[in-house]
Amino acid sequence: MSQRPIYVTRPHLPDLADVIPLLEEIWDRRMLTNNGPVLQRFESALSNYLGVEHISLVANATLGTVLAMQQAGITSGEVITTPFSFVATAHAIKLAGATPIFADIDPVTLNLDPAKIEAMITPQTRAILAVHTFGVPCDVVGLAEVANRHGLKVLYDAAHAFGVHRNGHSILHHGEMSVLSFHATKVFNTFEGGAVIARDRETKLAIDRLANFGFADALRVNAIGTNAKMNEFCAAIGLAQLPGIEKVIADRAGVAKRYMERLGKVRGLRCPSPWGELGHNHYAFPVLVGANFQLNRDELQMRLENENIFARKYFYPLVSDMEPYKMLPCADPACLPVAHNVASEVLCLPIYPDLDIESQDRVIEQVLKR
Ligand code: T4K
């Protein structure tokens, strides 16, 4: 165990020299939070980069999703979502006041399967909260069709989908709102942070108000908001990260390509990442360890761990098997066969922009070892 540890991800950081002048500005001004000037600059730069007009920066994606649900009026009833996600997705539905209803996923994209949604719709269903899992776009057309047929809203947990494009357009254009995460483990990070992308200015301003306790102006509070503001420090990190993001994504693509070349055709392993597709951000590199592989998933994870390589079981256990949700009738494993199968086989291999070839070879060597 003498080898250097290799983690599933490492945050990308901007050059400190590019951050210092922004910090000096903040120190001089002593405006540390509450819609400060650095945040305003970051918001406008981000909006340009992502090609979306209406962005509200927030403290993290979990709170951003709660606010998006609240603003969309989904504070009761049922919301159909995926069990194959980070627990924050279901928590956001609950925290907004609604109940998550799990539907099964597609075995290729690992995202909510539109064909499985219809059977879960009841008179209480209000919305669909879908996740672009691992940055792979959902079947946005299929989801919109089901939603339109039943008068449901569609919102996207786009925590993994920074910079993702579909048919040349940002994936963030789909649905009523989308929510990005800028957590340290994400493709683009501000240490902690996130953004809600809305379709019009009124909604953006309403999200800004909800993120600031519901203040409409200095004296008037017109909604029960919370504190979900991004502070000036996180905004400075974001502003300094933006110029380097294309290289970050290109470097990730290089790592994914190398994995695909070496592991893509191994008997018993399935690599569902559409690594060759334009517009992908390579947030993760999941492999599905099938029955024909020489080890099962847990054995492979253990073999890697013995070599100081920390691959992770994202997402196992399913959210539907977690304490707060497992009593829901829709959480019955018999209703979610694909998600259960994927959760029992998935292992996310280390991927980050500066994962060097030598380290990646250590990972590949352990996976292929007989
Ligand atoms: N929706 C989805 C679909 C999500 O995946 C997430 C978050 C959210 C919503 C909510 O977004 P936020 O509210 O956080 O903005 C991590 C993250 O904490 C979580 O943000 C993320 N998803 C989830 C997929 O992964 P953990 O508990 O597995 O992370 P942790 O701390 O074990 O970190 C993984 C590895 O990354 C470490 O072994 C080492 C490395 N690392 C991590 C951190 C935090 C670093 O090198 N530096 C760091 O600062 O949850």
Side-chain angles (χ1 to χ4, degrees), residues 7-11 60-63 85-86 88-89 131 157 159-160 181-186 192-193 283 312 314-315:
Y7 298 103
V8 69
T9 188
R10 295 302 265 169
N60 57 62
T62 308
L63 283 172
S85 183
F86 191 60
T89 311
V131 181
D157 174 336
H160 302 175
S181 170
F182 305 151
H183 181 263
T185 53
K186 298 297 180 281
E192 290 269 8
Y283 165 68
R312 294 287 287 267
Y314 295 127
F315 291 103

Side-chain angles (χ1 to χ4, degrees), residues 266-318:
V266 172
R267 189 176 136 85
L269 282 188
R270 183 157 78 82
C271 307
S273 279
W275 62 278
E277 259 174 42
L278 226 55
H280 193 27
N281 68 4
H282 306 282
Y283 165 68
F285 195 89
V287 293
L288 300 182
V289 185
N292 291 336
F293 192 67
Q294 36 155 339
L295 302 175
N296 68 32
R297 186 270 312 272
D298 289 353
E299 289 166 345
L300 178 58
Q301 186 187 32
M302 197 45 71
R303 178 194 276 175
L304 292 166
E305 224 164 280
N306 288 338
E307 295 298 321
N308 242 0
I309 298 165
F310 300 97
R312 294 287 287 267
K313 293 185 254 191
Y314 295 127
F315 291 103
Y316 172 89
L318 293 176

